[in-house]
Structure formats: structure tokens, C-alpha cells
């Protein structure tokens, strides 16, 4: 490597005296997407910029919708975040939000994969029966949907509380919804979304920021380090062990 040229050396000196934040870190500060203010632990992906956090909390701003990048088909929209109790309201845009008639129904829980999110018990459940090969009469407690492919729907209790309907002729899918504000209008319930909770703190970012540092992540979004005016620490500024 060539020795540092005097102007660059001067610049580095000035930067360290003024303790200028590095541009990459500054770019991770709160962002807006539609009506949502995006802040830690969520972060907004932007082309050509290194990740600002854990991949599970990565958001993509599609026009005015903040979508979880790692959700099924990237279509889980984050509508409102309650950082104080580690939960958020999401709308699954894979659901048939215009007419309530999908090509097929599926369990939303399948789309969460290995993420740190769990579907809150505060949700109610919407039970859907479809692919009913021999079920000609409406099963008790259910209503027929107006959809081309016959399916039946029922508003249930607390999410996860149903017992399996004894209907081997049909396939059951369970959709979490926060409630049924529109009575039997299940499409309106789906549009309002459901509550998800996150269980694991994703890293040490709050601790690092409280100590005056800035959080940085490796290119895959997992490796965490705390940058404190030129020094890099594993967790927070002023620790005994430095990384550099
Ligand atoms: C988002 O942030 C702006 C500016 O800080 C603030 O005025 C606004 O009330 C916030 N909106 C929400 C929904 O928290
Ligand atoms: C993102 O927006 C585009 C254009 O509005 C739309 O075609 C696409 O389906 C949207 N993606 C998702 C995942 O909603
Ligand atoms: C978190 O707080 C919000 C706002 O008070 C509330 O609507 C939501 O149900 C709470 N989440 C959980 C998991 O209790
Ligand atoms: C009905 O189901 C068939 C077979 O699963 C599918 O090909 C078709 O698109 C569905 N029709 C509608 C209107 O969803
Ligand atoms: C089923 O239909 C009845 C009669 O129209 C209605 O009162 C009830 O709310 C409906 N239930 C659901 C889950 O759509
Ligand atoms: C959805 O989950 C229920 C259990 O809650 C299960 O019985 C059912 O087979 C699942 N349906 C699909 C389509 O995976």
C-alpha cells in the first residue's frame, strides 16, 4: 500500500477530531416508507448500501408499502410497529384482499419460516375449508363463500384455539386476524391485518447506541460491531476488548 498522502492524512485527523459519523452509518438512521417510520430493529434496504441490521427485519419499500424482504413472496406488509412490546401489525398481501377468493388458501404461519416472529395469541382465527371433494352441504358453523371454487368460512376464537374439524373431505387453512370489526366481512378483517411478536433481541444495537456508538453489520446482515469514533468494539463503546 502507498503511504498516506498528506491531504488524506489531514482529512483523517480532522474527521477524528470532529468525530464525524461515517456516512454509511448515518444512512441507517430512521427512514420513512408511506405512513411508516422505520427504525430499529427494522431497517430499509437500499441498493448499494451495506445492511443495517438483521435480515429478519429487512424491509423493502414498494411505493408506499413497507414489505418484509424475507417473508413468503416478500409480501408481508408492516403497517404499525410497537417497539415497546416487541410486536407489529402486518397485512399479508398474498391473501385475496379484494374479493376474498384466492386460487388456493394456505396457512400464513408457513410463510414465517425460521424467522424470530410468532403469531400473537391476541389474534382471532378465520377458519377456511376448501378443496372439499365430497362435502356438498355446508359444514355446521360455517358459511359458504361466494367464490367460484367452493369454500367455507367461519370466524373463530383465539388464534390457535380451534380443534380440528372432523372433515377429511376438506382442507383446513387458518388465517390470523386481529378481530372482526366488520361483523361477518372476513375480507375487511384480513385487510386490517394481524399481530406478530418477535421473541429474540436481534443484537446489541440499543446498548451500542446508548454508549454513543453506531451499529454496523457484515454484508450478510448478521455480523455485528459497534463503531465508536474510530474504534470498533464487539458490543459497546469503551469495552476492554477492541476489534481493531
Ligand atoms: C414519523 O416521524 C415524523 C418525524 O419524526 C413524525 O412527525 C411523525 O409523527 C411520525 N409518524 C408516526 C406514525 O409515528
Ligand atoms: C410492488 O409494487 C408493484 C407496482 O405497484 C406491484 O406490481 C407489485 O406486485 C408489488 N409487490 C408486492 C410484493 O406487493
Ligand atoms: C403492544 O401495544 C400495542 C399498543 O398499545 C397493542 O395494540 C398491542 O396489542 C400490544 N402487543 C402485544 C403483543 O400485546
Ligand atoms: C379453481 O381451482 C382450480 C384448481 O385448483 C384452479 O385452477 C382455478 O384457477 C380456480 N379458480 C378460481 C376462480 O380460483
Ligand atoms: C353466516 O351467515 C349468517 C346468515 O347470513 C350470518 O348471520 C353470519 O354472520 C355469517 N357468518 C359468517 C362467519 O360469515
Ligand atoms: C393449517 O394448519 C392446520 C392446523 O392449525 C392444519 O390442520 C392444516 O392441515 C394446515 N393446512 C395447510 C393447507 O397446511
Amino acid at each position: 500500500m502507498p503511504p498516506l498522502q498528506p491531504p488524506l492524512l489531514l482529512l483523517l485527523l480532522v474527521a477524528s477530531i470532529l468525530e464525524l459519523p461515517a456516512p454509511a452509518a448515518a444512512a441507517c438512521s430512521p427512514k420513512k416508507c408511506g405512513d411508516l417510520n422505520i427504525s430499529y430493529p427494522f431497517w430499509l434496504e437500499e441498493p448499494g448500501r451495506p445492511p443495517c441490521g438483521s435480515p429478519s427485519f429487512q424491509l423493502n419499500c414498494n411505493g408506499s408499502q413497507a414489505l418484509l424482504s424475507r417473508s413468503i413472496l416478500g409480501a408481508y406488509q408492516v403497517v404499525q410497529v410497537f417497539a415497546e412490546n416487541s410486536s407489529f401489525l402486518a397485512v399479508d398481501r398474498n391473501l385475496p384482499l379484494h374479493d376474498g377468493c384466492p386460487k388456493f388458501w394456505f396457512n400464513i404461519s408457513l410463510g414465517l419460516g425460521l424467522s424470530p416472529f410468532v403469531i400473537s395469541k391476541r389474534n382471532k382465527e378465520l377458519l377456511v375449508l376448501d378443496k372439499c371433494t365430497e362435502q356438498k352441504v355446508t359444514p355446521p358453523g360455517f358459511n359458504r363463500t361466494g367464490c367460484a371454487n367452493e369454500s367455507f368460512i367461519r370466524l373463530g376464537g383465539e388464534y390457535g384455539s380451534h380443534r380440528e374439524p372432523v372433515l377429511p373431505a376438506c382442507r383446513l387453512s387458518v388465517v390470523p386476524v386481529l378481530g372482526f370489526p366488520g361483523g361477518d366481512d372476513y375480507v375487511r378483517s384480513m385487510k386490517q391485518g394481524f399481530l406478530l411478536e418477535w421473541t429474540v433481541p436481534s443484537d446489541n444495537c440499543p446498548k451500542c447506541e446508548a454508549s454513543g456508538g453506531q451499529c454496523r453489520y457484515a454484508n450478510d446482515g448478521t455480523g455485528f460491531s459497534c463503531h465508536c469514533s474510530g474504534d470498533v468494539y464487539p458490543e459497546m463503546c469503551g469495552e476492554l476488548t477492541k476489534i481493531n
Side-chain angles (χ1 to χ4, degrees):
M1 240 174 75
L4 289 179
Q5 296 304 303
L8 180 56
L9 194 60
L10 189 65
L11 197 67
L12 285 175
L13 273 174
V14 169
S16 69
I17 290 164
L18 296 178
E19 296 191 359
L20 294 177
C28 289
S29 52
K31 291 267 153 65
K32 220 168 150 61
C33 175
D35 291 333
L36 184 73
N37 287 339
I38 300 170
S39 58
Y40 180 85
F42 291 91
W43 58 282
L44 188 64
E45 66 179 40
E46 281 169 273
R49 206 195 54 194
C52 293
S54 155
S56 301
F57 294 91
Q58 182 175 345
L59 295 175
N60 162 281
C61 191
N62 194 3
S64 59
Q65 296 174 356
L67 302 166
L68 276 175
S69 309
R70 310 296 169 109
S71 61
I72 193 165
L73 302 175
Y76 282 39
Q77 183 190 356
V78 175
V79 175
Q80 205 178 349
V81 177
F82 310 106
E84 67 276 13
N85 58 17
S86 307
S87 64
F88 65 102
L89 190 58
V91 172
D92 183 357
R93 300 245 150 233
N94 297 309
L95 288 170
L97 299 178
H98 22 276
D99 62 358
C101 297
K103 280 214 162 35
F104 58 92
W105 287 93
F106 62 94
N107 284 332
I108 288 183
S109 53
L110 297 176
L112 297 171
L114 296 172
S115 74
F117 306 130
V118 293
I119 296 171
S120 175
K121 291 271 183 234
R122 288 193 171 235
N123 294 297
K124 302 249 182 294
E125 59 187 13
L126 186 67
L127 304 178
V128 187
L129 294 173
D130 73 343
K131 301 213 150 144
C132 300
T133 47
E134 277 150 40
Q135 187 73 31
K136 297 293 174 238
V137 296
T138 304
F142 283 80
N143 280 8
R144 194 179 290 268
T145 62
C147 305
N149 282 345
E150 271 194 6
S151 54
F152 305 96
I153 208 135
R154 189 174 93 197
L155 312 182
E158 179 187 280
Y159 182 77
S161 68
H162 70 275
R163 279 174 288 132
E164 303 287 300
V166 195
L167 284 169
C170 300
R171 195 182 62 161
L172 170 71
S173 301
V174 187
V175 180
V177 291
L178 208 41
F180 306 111
D184 59 5
D185 184 354
Y186 70 96
V187 179
R188 201 169 134 198
S189 288
M190 295 194 303
K191 276 186 190 154
Q192 289 210 333
F194 61 107
L195 196 66
L196 286 160
E197 296 174 33
W198 66 86
T199 46
V200 288
S202 62
D203 54 36
N204 291 314
C205 193
K207 224 160 125 188
C208 167
E209 282 182 341
S211 69
Q214 279 164 339
C215 308
R216 294 281 182 84
Y217 300 85
N219 276 332
D220 64 355
T222 53
F224 174 80
S225 58
C226 187
H227 290 236
C228 315
S229 39
D231 291 326
V232 184
Y233 297 89
E235 284 182 18
M236 57 190 276
C237 304
E239 279 177 281
L240 288 178
T241 356
K242 273 187 210 172
I243 292 180
N244 63 346

